[in-house]
Amino acid sequence: MPILNKDMQVCMSLAARPSNIGTRFHNFLYDELGLNFVYKAFTTTDLPGAVTGIRALGIRGCSVSMPFKEAIIPLVDVVEDSAAAIQSVNTVVHDDGVLTASNTDYEAVAALLATHGVDPSARVLLRGSGGMAKAVTAAFRGAGFEQLTVVARNERAGSALADQYGYAWVADHDRAGDAEVVVNVTPLGMRGDEQDTLAFPDDRIAAAHTVFDVVAFPSETPLVRAGRAAGKRVITGAEVIALQAARQFERYTGVALTDDQVERASAFSRAE
């Protein structure tokens, strides 16, 4: 990486629980490609102040994670269709004072459903109703999945999400029917207080043919481990975060990455 200098462009992330994954992913590629960029992760209790800082300091790009994906919308200037359709942002690009928001999570999930060959006729049980759940649900709808049930204890958020995409909502998975695909889009299994919590019970996992956990850190969540042990097709949050980060990288730098570069950067981002 070039020595810090006055012309270096800065990219950042905002999350409630910052990790080193994005920082290592982007900086690895800046170094390898000789780009005059640096990336740093942050958290904040003052989102408007943070966005003002992006403008005032000329921050080039910002990755947005929970719980800021929806709250940041009124603070930007342009909301692209990928974010406007689901009212959820994960990427902000700064061009000459104009902040443009988009959502690369949607793109990544749609691509993974295709590459893993998940059948759109499958019945899906999706747990979660937050900003990321919107992106994932929209991606399933866009991929042609007709049978999906949203599981969320928050009736207002859960039913609204389901209604928006023509799906069903239940407060608890026990009230849902059979499912061949189970998807976790909650913090369950994330490092912290809920890192040992299994998002779906064993009988749900046994009945499914595909287990999808959007939690990215750690990549081997209790749900992912249970899915692998049961011999199921597994899609991980590590895959999602790598693909969405690659698309962010291209927006920030204008450089398109090869599959090999994404794979190596992703591996480096998770190395202890």
Side-chain angles (χ1 to χ4, degrees), residues 6-19:
K6 68 180 180 61
D7 298 317
M8 180 169 277
Q9 296 194 71
V10 178
C11 294
M12 60 180 283
S13 65
L14 285 173
R17 299 178 182 179
S19 77

Side-chain angles (χ1 to χ4, degrees), residues 162-248:
D163 289 346
Q164 182 176 358
Y165 295 100
Y167 291 137
W169 163 80
V170 294
D172 188 270
H173 66 82
D174 289 336
R175 302 180 186 179
D178 294 338
E180 295 144 328
V181 180
V182 293
V183 188
N184 175 46
V185 202
T186 75
L188 296 175
M190 185 181 292
R191 286 188 178 173
D193 294 341
E194 298 170 307
Q195 64 181 351
D196 298 321
T197 304
L198 190 61
F200 291 96
D202 291 336
D203 60 337
R204 284 289 184 189
I205 296 169
H209 60 57
T210 301
V211 172
F212 187 175
D213 196 341
V214 180
V215 170
F217 196 68
S219 58
E220 294 294 311
T221 63
L223 180 60
V224 167
R225 292 196 300 269
R228 294 196 196 284
K232 308 301 180 179
R233 176 196 289 125
V234 173
I235 306 174
T236 71
E239 295 174 84
V240 176
I241 199 171
L243 282 180
Q244 69 84 22
R247 284 162 172 76
Q248 289 179 329

Side-chain angles (χ1 to χ4, degrees), residues 137-160:
T137 303
F140 271 93
R141 173 54 77 187
F145 287 78
E146 299 289 341
Q147 303 179 78
L148 184 148
T149 299
V150 174
V151 181
R153 288 177 294 180
N154 185 321
E155 179 176 359
R156 182 188 61 80
S159 60

